[in-house]
Amino acid sequence: MTGPEGALELAHADDAWTRADWEKATAAVLRKSRRLREDDPDSLVWEKLTRRTLDGIEITPLGTPASLEGLETAGRPARAGDWDVRSLVEAGPAKQLNEAALVDLEGGVTSLWVQAGDDTDLAVLLEGVLLDLAPVVLDAGDAAREVAEAFLAHAGDTDLAAGTNLGAPATADAATLTALARLARERSVLGVVVDGTRVHDRGASDATELGWVLAAGARVLRVLEQGGIPAADAAALVELRLAVTDDQFSSIAKLRAVRRLWARVLELSDVRGVEARVHAVTSRPMMSAYDPYNNMLRTTVAAFAAGVGGADSVTVLPFDAPLGRPEALGRRIARNTHHLLIDESHVAHVADPAGGAYAVEELTDRLARAGWEVLGRLDTPEGPDSGVLDELVAATVEQRDREVATRKRPITGLTEFPNLAEELPVREPYDGWQDVRPYGQAFEAMRAEPPAARVFLATLGPVAQHTARATFASNLLAAGGIAVDVAGPTAGPDELVAAYSGQAVVCLAGSDPTYAEWGAAAAAALREAGATRVVVAGKPDALGEAQSVDDSCAMGVDALAFLTRTREALA
């Protein structure tokens, strides 16, 4: 059927739903879960379901045509087809790394990101690597010039594959940047990497990472132009590297935003026709050393976001990387994640699949504007202002730590559903995580040094009555490395005391009616039996007498502070 002016209506009249209809249906669900009162207006669902990023950007529960009103930026990813599957070859024994690199290449990897130092034997490390087919991106830090020269000497007269990058850091001194840029131009390869993952690893927000990348990239253009390389030629030598996390939509928006922002930087530099080259890397800080198999899920979502966001190259870090040097299983799962997304899910076969989505377009625009504002604060003629960067990162870390501590930002396997009985895979120590600040750092520190003493989980009543709070409390305690001894079904204080075996800390877990009936008596009986600290799973006044307990734990509690107090009582 057709509507006004010949518009094609694809929905039947009975399927035409309004914004008010959605609000009504959603409000009904929130009232069931008690997130809305009966007298609250349905329109309040927008406020209840809108979340804010660490940059203060609101993400609404539903995108609408109104989301596209007032957008200030535009631009879409330029990649068409499969992305470049890039494997990370971290610093270490050259022969061992060569074997890993060759296995990766045989398994479908299409380029190598090689971390090296001035003592790295590149001839051994790259033996058997076809440099005319597989691009190599160097990452050598302060030794960038020496490693690049050694790489070119090893390559000889080989026509290096498109995408090869000599890897001059954007923060390198002017002489190094200029020298490597000239070498890159002579060999028709890339020469510079603007690595935003460095600030991401410290805890920076998406907008701060974008702003830093732009400021560092602008410095590269200035330095190279002063060194006699035109801005357009300089821009063609640059690759931008950013982190992607399991926050799917924010990561998609960040990669789409960086293209718009870099295009604006080049426009202001009088550069036309040079597209951004973007390398996305799955986030290190989002990964956990505990229950590390969850990292496979995190990196899969992040890699999906990278592909949808239009990254030219994507690196999936192995799930076991936080534990030490990744082994064959971790590297195989990492590269197969690409194959799953590209060859089985066909994610790469659609051009800009997020393009036109109301919510994504709005988020991209807001994040781009936030990144541009950060650029204004960071940019100096000498490069990003380190003092301002430190302030921005510190503020984000403080906010994220607070959200992780209250489990508003949960980390599965660490702050939620931890498994104290797990046996972690053993990996060879290495320096790959040296400068990384994991999101769950405080909880990982607790898990690394669990207290010897256990908490007595005083379960009140039959299983059906206490299981909800008992599960909540035991999971919360386990997040701090604290094991529990469970009383089991009980019918009164005497049975509870009979199951008690002298633990210093006890945690009462039961239903509200049971608390009201004999919770205070249970607390008193356990104190008399030897307990020095009584905790209740629920609100502080759950027993009706505040003096009956020393502490409490419930949804929204500062878990980190609670666990710290409990561990001190167990010491």
Side-chain angles (χ1 to χ4, degrees):
M1 56 187 294
T2 57
E5 301 181 3
L8 181 64
E9 295 286 349
L10 298 179
H12 189 274
D14 293 340
D15 293 322
W17 302 99
T18 66
R19 178 185 176 113
D21 292 326
W22 179 83
E23 290 175 353
K24 181 179 179 180
T26 307
V29 175
L30 294 188
R31 289 191 179 99
K32 275 188 177 180
S33 61
R34 299 182 181 178
R35 296 183 63 185
L36 275 184
R37 297 192 302 267
E38 291 299 325
D39 57 345
D40 284 335
D42 292 347
S43 58
L44 196 60
V45 297
W46 293 94
E47 179 182 329
K48 292 292 184 180
L49 296 179
T50 294
R51 67 181 181 90
R52 289 171 177 78
T53 70
L54 292 169
D55 293 304
I57 299 172
E58 292 186 347
I59 300 181
T60 59
L62 187 69
T64 66
S67 303
L68 303 184
E69 296 175 2
L71 299 187
E72 298 180 11
T73 64
R76 303 184 68 170
R79 193 201 76 237
D82 298 355
W83 58 79
D84 168 30
V85 178
R86 183 169 298 173
S87 172
L88 173 60
V89 181
E90 295 172 295
K95 183 61 178 175
Q96 177 183 345
L97 298 179
N98 171 255
E99 294 172 357
L102 293 179
V103 170
D104 282 346
L105 290 168
E106 291 172 1
V109 162
T110 53
S111 71
L112 299 176
W113 168 14
V114 177
Q115 294 181 345
D118 52 10
D119 59 344
T120 301
D121 190 336
L122 289 177
V124 174
L125 179 58
L126 298 175
E127 182 182 358
V129 177
L130 304 179
L131 301 180
D132 56 336
L133 298 178
V136 171
V137 178
L138 299 176
D139 184 354
D142 295 337
R145 186 167 183 174
E146 294 81 0
V147 171
E149 290 173 347
F151 171 74
L152 293 176
H154 169 71
D157 297 330
T158 302
D159 289 330
L160 296 172
T164 298
N165 195 324
L166 300 186
T171 54
D173 60 80
T176 298
L177 272 174
T178 304
L180 289 185
R182 287 174 178 160
L183 286 174
R185 293 180 73 195
E186 290 173 6
R187 296 302 299 267
S188 299
V189 296
L190 304 176
V192 182
V193 174
V194 183
D195 191 355
T197 66
R198 302 296 184 186
V199 295
H200 173 84
D201 288 350
R202 292 174 51 191
S205 69
D206 290 335
T208 298
E209 184 182 358
L210 284 172
W212 185 90
V213 164
L214 298 175
R219 177 197 177 249
V220 170
L221 299 181
R222 293 190 193 105
V223 168
L224 295 186
E225 194 166 31
Q226 291 170 1
I229 299 175
D233 292 346
L237 299 174
V238 174
E239 181 173 66
L240 310 177
R241 181 181 294 151
L242 294 100
V244 283
T245 71
D246 54 359
D247 189 340
Q248 171 182 304
F249 291 108
S250 292
S251 293
I252 292 171
K254 179 164 67 172
L255 296 187
R256 298 177 86 245
V258 76
R259 291 187 182 277
R260 301 179 183 187
L261 295 173
W262 186 241
R264 179 57 176 158
V265 169
L266 296 184
E267 180 184 356
L268 294 174
S269 304
D270 293 325
V271 175
R272 301 287 189 279
V274 178
E275 293 285 348
R277 180 182 290 270
V278 179
H279 174 205
V281 183
T282 58
S283 167
R284 290 181 178 89
M286 77 170 177
M287 300 173 78
S288 173
Y290 290 90
D291 208 348
Y293 301 101
N294 280 300
N295 293 331
M296 296 183 193
L297 305 179
R298 297 182 180 107
T299 54
T300 298
V301 174
F304 172 83
V308 171
D312 300 292
S313 304
V314 180
T315 296
V316 174
L317 297 179
F319 78 92
D320 52 348
L323 295 167
R325 188 176 301 283
E327 293 189 352
L329 174 63
R331 299 183 71 88
R332 178 169 63 84
I333 295 296
R335 62 178 180 265
N336 284 349
T337 300
H338 297 274
H339 303 327
L340 173 69
L341 294 170
I342 295 173
D343 301 319
E344 296 189 31
S345 302
H346 305 293
V347 173
H349 299 172
V350 179
D352 190 21
Y358 302 135
V360 175
E361 292 291 2
E362 180 182 37
L363 181 55
T364 299
D365 183 76
R366 291 187 177 185
L367 186 52
R369 283 185 279 169
W372 193 259
E373 189 273 334
V374 173
L375 168 64
R377 298 179 62 182
L378 288 177
D379 191 35
T380 73
E382 293 75 34
D385 187 313
S386 60
V388 173
L389 176 64
D390 290 345
E391 292 175 5
L392 292 171
V393 171
T396 300
V397 166
E398 180 181 1
Q399 181 180 349
R400 183 188 290 111
D401 284 353
R402 184 166 57 250
E403 293 181 4
V404 171
T406 57
R407 302 201 294 183
K408 181 179 179 181
R409 188 178 291 269
I411 304 173
T412 303
L414 184 63
T415 67
E416 299 282 353
F417 311 111
N419 177 14
L420 295 185
E422 70 176 321
E423 293 185 14
L424 294 175
V426 177
R427 296 293 184 263
E428 173 192 343
Y430 77 144
D431 296 331
W433 243 244
Q434 189 171 13
D435 299 319
V436 178
R437 191 184 193 283
Y439 295 158
Q441 177 175 277
F443 288 88
E444 290 192 355
M446 287 184 172
R447 290 287 297 276
E449 297 183 2
R454 301 162 73 94
V455 166
F456 178 63
L457 189 60
T459 46
L460 281 63
V463 173
Q465 292 183 10
H466 69 237
T467 187
R469 281 188 169 136
T471 300
F472 172 84
S474 59
N475 279 335
L476 174 57
L477 291 166
I482 304 170
V484 298
D485 295 317
V486 184
T490 56
D494 291 342
E495 290 187 13
L496 202 58
V497 170
Y500 175 67
S501 55
Q503 296 89 341
V505 178
V506 301
C507 178
L508 303 180
S511 65
D512 288 340
T514 307
Y515 282 161
E517 182 181 354
W518 56 280
L526 288 168
R527 285 191 192 278
E528 187 175 349
T532 58
R533 186 174 184 81
V534 177
V535 178
V536 64
K539 296 180 180 179
D541 59 353
L543 304 188
E545 301 178 23
Q547 67 272 20
S548 296
V549 299
D550 303 298
D551 208 341
S552 65
C553 57
M555 293 294 293
V557 70
D558 185 329
L560 192 60
F562 168 78
L563 291 170
T564 299
R565 295 192 299 269
T566 304
R567 287 168 61 97
E568 289 173 352
L570 290 171

